[in-house]
Amino acid sequence: MSCAEAGRIDYKSLSDEEWKKRLTGEQFYITRQKGTERAFTGEYWNTKTHGTYNCICCDTPLFESSTKFDSGTGWPSYYQPIGSNVKSKLDLSIIFMPRQEVLCAICDAHLGHIFDDGPPPTGKRYCINSASLKLKPKQ
């Protein structure tokens, strides 16, 4: 998809049926239905490849590999997103454990959650599902 084409797509208006055509079943479950992959099973939880992690739904750059760290949780974890390409909102889906949900700012894809137990300089841990990401290795 060209950048010009990407700029013309209103991702937030795509129907579930349209998303199902673009994504695998697991990608749809996680990004559009707010699912979670099992710990230590995602493609990128232990990846050390240098590059940029983009949104699987709209190809927006979300995280640089330089901000990835081993959190020991079994999910890819980053201490900082790229610019304002990621947003968060309160997630009350588990009554006894309110969390901050992490979303792609362009297409509203569910990415994971953010916690306050990350490393310096931000102290944040963006705990992200591999299935919501696409790694573009540095050339």
Side-chain angles (χ1 to χ4, degrees):
M1 174 182 350
S2 71
C3 287
E5 180 186 357
R8 288 193 303 264
I9 296 173
D10 180 6
Y11 290 102
K12 293 179 184 179
S13 71
L14 292 180
S15 69
D16 280 352
E17 290 311 310
E18 290 173 283
W19 281 119
K20 285 179 182 177
K21 291 176 191 170
R22 294 170 173 260
L23 303 169
T24 68
E26 181 184 35
Q27 290 167 344
F28 179 81
Y29 168 68
I30 289 169
T31 63
R32 309 323 305 178
Q33 298 182 309
K34 303 183 186 307
T36 302
E37 63 200 8
R38 286 191 347 265
F40 303 102
T41 64
E43 180 178 1
Y44 301 126
W45 78 269
N46 200 26
T47 299
K48 307 281 191 253
T49 304
H50 293 285
T52 304
Y53 291 87
N54 289 10
C55 178
I56 197 69
C57 295
C58 69
D59 207 32
T60 298
L62 302 173
F63 300 96
E64 290 291 345
S65 60
S66 60
T67 66
K68 189 173 191 276
F69 67 98
D70 182 3
S71 64
T73 62
W75 286 278
S77 297
Y78 309 84
Y79 61 79
Q80 181 176 309
I82 296 173
S84 59
N85 294 352
V86 166
K87 63 183 181 179
S88 66
K89 72 175 190 176
L90 186 60
D91 175 1
L92 297 172
S93 61
I94 302 176
I95 296 297
F96 60 88
M97 193 172 89
R99 305 176 288 176
Q100 283 292 316
E101 178 185 9
V102 178
L103 303 158
C104 173
I106 302 304
C107 71
D108 283 341
H110 171 77
L111 305 173
H113 292 88
I114 183 174
F115 302 94
D116 291 324
D117 59 2
T122 65
K124 301 291 184 189
R125 173 172 54 96
Y126 290 81
C127 189
I128 307 298
N129 290 286
S130 289
S132 68
L133 301 172
K134 173 176 32 180
L135 174 60
K136 296 208 169 171
K138 280 205 185 336
Q139 300 300 323

